[in-house]
């Protein structure tokens, strides 16, 4: 099977099955065409997953499809955006129809779950790499950025952290079964779209946690020019290997929960339906950097750059 047969047999049907109303033209032309409603800003982001770097060798194709789209859509969630359409750049060592079908089934499941349609792509030969560019919309001027945190704001996350890191440990060395229950956290990340959208106009800053809480909250602090204090006991965790669960929550990536800052006044006025889904973990203050506060009140300053960086070793 050649490139164009592959597109026609597998990707065109995926596009047809997942198309959303604003997509005026899908795959098949030089560009796709998407109508952006008046009063909306277009937000977009691209994510690349390389075999052996972002997912294990011999990783299941359907899980990869879900994961590739989920992690890209998570950036839309972090901006408070609604998903619209995506393009897919796929680099394959060779065409194995069964494998690509598996990938397409995972993509389709995720596309339908997140309400985002395939609008086009590019298919090339080389080391296995999957790149997804997602497009979404937000009401004009309302995107959640990283740079709006202010002293006095509260810091919250949308769910338990560290599960994906526990899963990765198990995938690395499957012997220790304590981490096995957390495999789903890695295999099937769920972007927090609804919460992201609900937090528009409420959160002063937001980010999705892809590289660990310490690193990603650090991005908010840097972008906003403020400092943060986090109470370690209040961080919701997936209990993998118990003694390392705090480290997994702080430094392990791939959880795709959101971390947001909310002005204290706003927090007090939030409906219970929303606060029930937010875990308050600390607050913003003047200064620089992130401090961890233990239950006995002692504080530890974290060095910047404690998350994952492709070109540096862990600090
Ligand atoms: P061009 O040479 O103009 O870049 P291509 O030959 O790369 O066009 O692609 C032909 C058409 O097929 C384009 O509309 C493109 O969006 C679509 N396409 C290619 N690969 C994929 C894919 N993996 N998924 C969806 N659409 C694809
Ligand atoms: Mg092309």
């Amino acid at each position: 099977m050649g490139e164009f047969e592959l597109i026609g047999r597998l990707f065109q049907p995926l596009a047809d099955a997942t198309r959303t109303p604003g997509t005026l033209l899908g795959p098949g032309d030089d560009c796709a065409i998407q109508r952006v409603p008046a009063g909306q800003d277009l937000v977009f982001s691209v994510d690349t997953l390389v075999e052996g770097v972002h997912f294990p060798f011999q990783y299941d194709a359907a899980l990869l499809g879900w994961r590739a789209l989920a992690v890209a859509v998570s950036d839309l969630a972090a901006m408070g955006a609604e998903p619209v359409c995506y393009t897919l750049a796929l680099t394959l060592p060779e065409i194995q129809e069964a494998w690509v079908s598996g990938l397409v089934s995972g993509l389709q499941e995720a596309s339908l779950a997140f309400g985002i349609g395939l609008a086009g792509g590019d298919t090339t030969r080389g080391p296995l790499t999957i790149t997804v560019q997602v497009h979404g919309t937000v009401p004009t001027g309302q995107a959640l950025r990283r740079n709006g945190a202010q002293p006095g704001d509260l810091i919250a996350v949308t769910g338990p952290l560290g599960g994906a890191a526990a899963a990765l440990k198990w995938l690395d060395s499957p012997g220790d079964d304590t981490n096995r229950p957390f495999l789903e956290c890695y295999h099937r990340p769920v972007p927090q779209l609804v919460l992201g959208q609900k937090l528009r106009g409420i959160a002063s800053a937001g980010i999705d946690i892809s590289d660990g809480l310490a690193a990603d909250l650090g991005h908010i602090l840097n972008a906003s020019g403020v400092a943060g204090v986090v109470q370690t006991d209040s961080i919701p965790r997936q209990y993998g290997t118990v003694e390392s669960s705090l480290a997994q929550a702080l430094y392990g990536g791939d959880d795709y929960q959101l971390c947001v800052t909310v002005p204290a006044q706003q927090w007090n006025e939030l409906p219970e339906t929303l606060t029930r889904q937010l875990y308050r973990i600390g607050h913003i203050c003047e200064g620089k950097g992130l401090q961890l506060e233990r239950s006995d009140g002692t504080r530890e300053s974290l060095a910047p750059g404690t998350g994952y960086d492709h070109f540096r070793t862990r600090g």
Side-chain angles (χ1 to χ4, degrees):
M1 201 193 317
E3 172 188 339
F4 294 103
E5 213 186 329
L6 184 76
I7 296 167
R9 287 247 294 262
L10 295 176
F11 291 106
Q12 184 65 57
L14 172 61
D16 294 341
T18 58
R19 189 169 179 138
T20 54
T23 303
L24 306 183
L25 186 61
D29 211 310
D30 296 309
C31 287
I33 307 177
Q34 178 68 38
R35 180 140 302 163
V36 180
Q40 303 275 318
D41 289 334
L42 180 69
V43 297
F44 46 97
S45 159
V46 65
D47 270 301
T48 292
L49 304 186
V50 179
E51 184 179 40
V53 179
H54 302 96
F55 59 94
F57 288 100
Q58 310 293 323
Y59 193 61
D60 179 83
L63 291 175
L64 179 61
W66 174 282
R67 189 176 166 71
L69 190 54
V71 306
V73 166
S74 178
D75 286 319
L76 295 179
M79 298 302 278
E82 330 230 332
V84 170
C85 66
Y86 67 100
T87 50
L88 169 71
L90 191 60
T91 303
L92 299 170
E94 63 193 320
I95 294 181
Q96 282 181 3
E97 190 175 350
W99 190 91
V100 183
S101 286
L103 181 80
V104 165
S105 73
L107 283 168
Q108 178 153 337
E109 203 188 337
S111 307
L112 297 173
F114 312 145
I116 190 166
L118 177 65
D122 198 25
T123 307
T124 55
R125 182 170 200 160
L128 179 58
T129 305
I130 176 165
T131 296
V132 175
Q133 168 135 13
V134 290
H135 305 80
T137 53
V138 277
T140 311
Q142 287 191 35
L144 283 182
R145 304 185 189 199
R146 297 178 178 185
N147 65 359
Q150 298 278 342
D153 290 358
L154 303 176
I155 304 170
V157 295
T158 54
L161 303 176
L168 274 175
K169 261 192 177 170
W170 190 86
L171 289 171
D172 268 355
S173 52
D176 175 6
D177 276 349
T178 43
N179 288 317
R180 194 175 179 153
F182 303 96
L183 279 179
E184 280 289 287
C185 302
Y186 180 78
H187 287 326
R188 308 264 301 177
V190 178
Q192 298 298 308
L193 282 167
V194 175
L195 272 176
Q197 291 158 18
K198 281 193 187 155
L199 285 161
R200 286 197 307 246
I202 293 171
S204 51
I207 193 167
D208 64 323
I209 305 175
S210 55
D211 295 334
L213 176 65
D216 289 315
L217 174 55
H219 292 314
I220 288 186
L221 302 180
N222 285 341
S224 303
V226 293
V229 180
V230 164
Q231 283 84 40
T232 52
D233 280 0
S234 62
I235 301 172
R237 299 178 215 163
Q238 303 274 16
Y239 283 85
T241 309
V242 176
E243 70 275 18
S244 63
S245 70
L246 178 63
Q248 285 170 357
L250 281 171
Y251 309 117
D254 298 302
D255 285 313
Y256 298 99
Q257 295 293 338
L258 302 180
C259 176
V260 294
T261 59
V262 179
Q265 176 72 29
Q266 291 261 44
W267 182 277
N268 294 330
E269 291 162 10
L270 290 182
E272 207 246 321
T273 48
L274 193 51
T275 45
R276 228 190 304 130
Q277 297 178 78
L278 294 173
Y279 299 80
R280 197 173 141 173
I281 60 167
H283 65 273
I284 298 291
C285 48
E286 304 219 9
K288 255 178 109 171
L290 178 59
Q291 289 200 317
L292 296 182
E293 190 175 87
R294 313 253 169 207
S295 51
D296 62 6
T298 56
R299 286 188 181 184
E300 173 196 345
S301 291
L302 283 191
T306 36
Y308 187 75
D309 181 326
H310 285 101
F311 296 100
R312 290 177 50 197
T313 50
R314 199 166 262 186

